[in-house]
Amino acid sequence: MDSTVLQHGRTCSLCKKWLDTVPHSMSSFVLVDDLYPSTASNNNDVLLSALLASAKGGCVGCQLLSTGSLVYARSLGREEDLEAIRFTDTASLLSAKLLWKGETLPEEITDRVDESRFEFYAHWSERSLLPTLAKASLIPLSGIGDATKPWESFKGIQPAEHLHTDVTSSDRLMLIRVWLKVCEKLHEGPCVTKYDHPLPTRVLDVGVPGQPHIINLFESKGKVGRYIALSHCWGKTPIIKTLSTTLETFKSGMPVESLPKTFQEAILLTRRLGIQYLWIDSLCIIQDDEADWEREASQMASVYGNSYLTIAASSASDSTVGCFIQRTVRPCQSYKVKDCVPSEDGNYTEVFVRQRLRQLCGLEWFVGKRINVKTDRPLETRAWTYQEDILPRRILKLYSDEIIFECEQQTVRESLFERTNNSRGLRIANSNATPEVISDQWRSHVIQYSGRSFTYVKDRLPALSGIAYEFHKLNQSTYCAGLWKHSIQEDLQWHTETETPLTRLESTEGNALPTWSWA
């Protein structure tokens, strides 16, 4: 951490642009545009010498920006190489790229990600998180500070959260609990639908009294309660399954340590959230009983739709990897700013800089490299897991770079107090939607779903049955092998957008599939 302390003073037009200063009147700004000559490559480039000159002249915004840039450059061991800073307004947090002496860049920032890209943020302490979220309807959208003085309202410095290498730590658990509590207490509509439903046919009882190392397979027989569902990749590694020969054994109990890492960590999180039951497909469906498999597969809409929460092991390629993947995170750096934003002692607060986590143009990145969905988010490539992402009212996505929580009204992410409204509510149309909207949304789901991969081609329609069931409740139409009778003329106009030959789902006796189905 850096101990640099900045003093407050005037503000200038650069601060107005990048820090979104809110003064009482425009006369509060000291216009010093002549101190910010644009470089030849980009009009968002600011020479460090110009930034330092303005800071020395008393501009608190330039003090904040120049000090943060130097602090971050120092953490890279390249403070002496810094020549200019390129700011960008296309990210959620105030972001910039350090430009080194002798470096030549194109006019636009390219897809290249490197350690020279960084972002500014202020940290909200965990202890003040819940009242802050409650007061601001979950996520504060404005910047930190008030507008009593021009330099006290830098809206460009948004509140964000430190990323931790240990995602199983108590503060991460508290954050997840807060997200769930706010959703339960403050949201309206589908988010407040009761979560005590009839349990699935079988669930894992993870709360056996006095036996923390044992869980058992519990046949619910219509019992009502809360449960968590796990969405995970089976992968190529052999996975533990409930079979006709192991059913009674698993009902008697199974040691937690005998289960793969992903299952163990899902059990751990379920217990820590105070929920007794957990649903995992490979253990809660009798895998060698065709009748049981078909019956349970047809219930996926209710299994995931009625879950209190679905945990998605998004970055695990199989059950041995785990839900919580250890991170490699470059430590954030901080410096103190006087009277810039409110602090407990009323004098100073900390502003943080860290390597940028997100890239431009809607592309997502890990720290330092572009995301490869197939290797970094394998769960999002599998066909069966598509409806597991769409159907739940609330889902906790455990990525290797951060944790994201989605409910019917909002999406929040671990790294940033960012709110996106109606996140899950837009996935399946509501009863007020027009038939055209419902049909268009179904086709959109088919497009996204059909691009995913299968282990068995015969699963292509069953793996979409849960979503089809929800759409049938809306359109009251006859389902025709992936198309709908009421919109059959439009649905028949499907086409492929790949040159790779597609494997068609072969018809079997008693299961004739029309040649006109996209399946």
Side-chain angles (χ1 to χ4, degrees):
M1 298 292 184
D2 194 280
S3 59
T4 304
V5 177
L6 303 183
Q7 303 297 321
H8 72 258
R10 302 173 297 174
T11 53
C12 69
S13 57
L14 181 70
C15 309
K16 176 186 176 184
K17 180 176 182 180
W18 296 117
L19 295 176
D20 195 12
T21 310
V22 183
H24 287 295
S25 66
M26 289 303 294
S27 61
S28 300
F29 285 104
V30 180
L31 299 179
V32 285
D33 289 281
D34 57 311
L35 290 177
Y36 305 102
S38 297
T39 61
S41 61
N42 191 295
N43 60 10
N44 290 334
D45 294 355
V46 181
L47 291 174
L48 176 63
S49 58
L51 205 60
L52 290 172
S54 179
K56 185 177 181 180
C59 176
V60 63
C62 292
Q63 291 176 30
L64 187 154
L65 295 173
S66 60
T67 303
S69 301
L70 287 168
V71 165
Y72 186 71
R74 189 178 307 139
S75 73
L76 302 178
R78 301 193 63 180
E79 184 178 6
E80 299 300 321
D81 297 332
L82 182 59
E83 181 175 37
I85 301 95
R86 172 173 294 178
F87 293 97
T88 177
D89 58 0
T90 56
S92 299
L93 296 177
L94 174 62
S95 302
K97 174 179 171 56
L98 301 180
L99 306 180
W100 312 113
K101 295 175 181 177
E103 182 179 25
T104 302
L105 291 175
E107 290 190 4
E108 299 297 331
I109 297 179
T110 65
D111 283 355
R112 185 165 55 89
V113 173
D114 56 59
E115 62 183 9
S116 65
R117 303 180 196 278
F118 70 107
E119 54 195 9
F120 297 79
Y121 68 99
H123 180 248
W124 285 100
S125 64
E126 303 288 1
R127 63 189 173 195
S128 65
L129 184 60
L130 185 55
T132 299
L133 297 181
K135 183 177 180 181
S137 298
L138 187 62
I139 301 297
L141 293 180
S142 60
I144 50 181
D146 55 40
T148 58
K149 297 176 183 177
W151 55 83
E152 290 182 334
S153 188
F154 292 128
K155 291 170 66 179
I157 307 298
Q158 291 286 324
E161 183 51 60
H162 300 322
L163 287 178
H164 296 253
T165 55
D166 182 8
V167 292
T168 62
S169 61
S170 58
D171 59 339
R172 298 303 87 192
L173 177 62
M174 179 180 178
L175 190 63
I176 294 169
R177 284 174 172 166
V178 166
W179 289 339
L180 287 167
K181 183 70 68 176
V182 170
C183 178
E184 287 186 89
K185 300 297 183 182
L186 298 180
H187 288 177
E188 300 176 350
C191 281
V192 297
T193 301
K194 67 183 181 69
Y195 282 92
D196 291 336
H197 295 279
L199 297 172
T201 304
R202 301 175 198 89
V203 287
L204 299 171
D205 186 345
V206 303
V208 181
Q211 300 185 59
H213 303 297
I214 297 294
I215 65 169
N216 59 37
L217 187 61
F218 174 69
E219 293 190 335
S220 64
K221 298 179 181 179
K223 180 177 179 178
V224 172
R226 293 187 175 190
Y227 65 93
I228 287 176
L230 176 66
S231 176
H232 68 105
C233 283
W234 284 37
K236 297 181 179 180
T237 304
I239 191 171
I240 185 170
K241 306 174 185 176
T242 294
L243 305 173
S244 302
T245 55
T246 60
L247 176 61
E248 294 303 319
T249 301
F250 288 175
K251 287 167 64 176
S252 299
M254 61 187 94
V256 173
E257 59 267 22
S258 69
L259 301 175
K261 187 176 181 181
T262 298
F263 293 6
Q264 291 187 35
E265 293 183 348
I267 291 168
L268 174 66
L269 182 53
T270 300
R271 287 173 169 173
R272 289 187 174 181
L273 293 177
I275 304 298
Q276 184 173 357
Y277 300 111
L278 172 65
W279 189 90
I280 300 178
D281 52 2
S282 69
L283 293 175
C284 296
I285 300 175
I286 305 174
Q287 297 296 324
D288 62 347
D289 185 329
E290 185 175 350
D292 188 78
W293 189 92
E294 290 181 356
R295 182 171 57 252
E296 295 303 309
S298 70
Q299 299 299 313
M300 289 301 98
S302 61
V303 168
Y304 285 97
N306 291 338
S307 65
Y308 172 72
L309 173 71
T310 290
I311 298 171
S314 303
S315 293
S317 57
D318 60 45
S319 61
T320 67
V321 176
C323 295
F324 305 108
I325 297 177
Q326 199 72 9
R327 301 168 177 165
T328 302
V329 179
R330 179 184 292 277
C332 62
Q333 307 295 319
S334 72
Y335 54 103
K336 292 184 177 181
V337 180
K338 181 177 177 60
D339 289 339
C340 178
V341 290
S343 57
E344 289 186 2
D345 60 10
N347 294 317
Y348 300 96
T349 193
E350 283 186 303
V351 175
F352 294 84
V353 287
R354 68 183 178 199
Q355 186 171 355
R356 188 174 175 185
L357 304 179
R358 302 283 156 182
Q359 186 53 282
L360 308 180
C361 306
L363 300 175
E364 291 188 296
W365 306 76
F366 283 144
V367 177
K369 69 184 183 73
R370 184 173 179 174
I371 287 176
N372 182 321
V373 175
K374 182 174 292 188
T375 58
D376 297 327
R377 297 184 173 181
L379 189 70
E380 297 176 0
T381 69
R382 304 299 300 170
W384 269 108
T385 62
Y386 183 75
Q387 64 180 5
E388 297 169 11
D389 178 44
I390 300 299
L391 294 170
R393 291 188 177 92
R394 304 196 297 202
I395 187 168
L396 186 71
K397 298 184 176 182
L398 302 173
Y399 294 115
S400 58
D401 62 335
E402 68 173 327
I403 302 172
I404 296 178
F405 173 77
E406 297 177 359
C407 67
E408 290 283 357
Q409 292 191 18
Q410 295 178 329
T411 294
V412 289
R413 52 200 327 146
E414 176 191 5
S415 64
L416 174 67
F417 287 172
E418 178 182 60
R419 176 174 68 187
T420 304
N421 290 323
N422 300 321
S423 125
R424 304 200 68 72
L426 293 176
R427 293 172 181 250
I428 295 180
N430 58 49
S431 56
N432 297 322
T434 65
E436 292 77 14
V437 169
I438 295 173
S439 295
D440 286 346
Q441 195 173 61
W442 169 259
R443 296 181 196 114
S444 176
H445 281 302
V446 170
I447 291 171
Q448 297 177 64
Y449 169 79
S450 59
R452 294 196 173 203
S453 56
F454 298 84
T455 301
Y456 304 105
V457 178
K458 65 181 179 61
D459 290 345
R460 188 173 290 160
L461 286 177
L464 194 61
S465 61
I467 296 177
Y469 175 78
E470 292 298 317
F471 272 86
H472 172 69
K473 292 193 295 186
L474 294 172
N475 60 29
Q476 296 296 304
S477 183
T478 302
Y479 187 52
C480 306
L483 289 72
W484 295 96
K485 184 176 180 179
H486 79 284
S487 58
I488 196 71
Q489 290 183 339
E490 293 83 2
D491 291 349
L492 283 171
Q493 298 178 38
W494 64 268
H495 63 279
T496 62
E497 294 184 349
T498 175
E499 297 179 359
T500 304
L502 300 179
T503 302
R504 291 194 61 83
L505 180 55
E506 298 296 331
S507 300
T508 58
E509 185 176 354
N511 184 32
L513 289 170
T515 57
W516 40 258
S517 171
W518 54 263

